Amino acid sequence: MLLQSDGSLVFKGGFDFYNPGSWRRDGDVLIVTVGGKAPFPAELYKEQLPKHIGGLTGYNEKRREISYRFDASTEFINFDNFYFYRAERCHAQ
């Protein structure tokens, strides 16, 4: 999951069926919008939301958006049951 400085999001090495995507920040909230033609995994997020697994704070199936708490204490986000960690540089080349 590569968050580009222009707000685009690219999946490499997996999840390419969600390309192209986008992202934006609203304070300490990271909002990921998945593209592609794959069905949005609403049932998964519905199950995870009460537990706030991986910083999950909400989702919008219609808009294909997933919201995460994303501040200095956030170690990872959980996307489709995979953990994505912050990195200064991408190693998924």
Side-chain angles (χ1 to χ4, degrees), residues 9 11 18 20-22 32-36 40-41 63-66 79:
L9 182 149
F11 292 96
Y18 286 136
S22 62
V32 170
T33 304
V34 294
F40 185 83
R63 295 176 62 170
R64 298 177 62 85
E65 292 181 343
I66 307 123
F79 180 85

Side-chain angles (χ1 to χ4, degrees), residues 13-68:
F15 296 113
D16 59 342
F17 45 83
Y18 286 136
N19 284 330
S22 62
W23 70 277
R24 67 184 188 279
R25 292 222 23 205
D26 185 7
D28 287 343
V29 176
L30 170 67
I31 302 162
V32 170
T33 304
V34 294
K37 298 182 192 244
F40 185 83
E43 287 302 312
L44 174 65
Y45 293 114
K46 182 179 180 180
E47 179 183 317
Q48 292 179 348
L49 186 57
K51 301 172 191 167
H52 300 287
I53 294 173
L56 182 67
T57 60
Y59 67 95
N60 183 317
E61 181 176 8
K62 189 174 188 177
R63 295 176 62 170
R64 298 177 62 85
E65 292 181 343
I66 307 123
S67 302
Y68 300 94

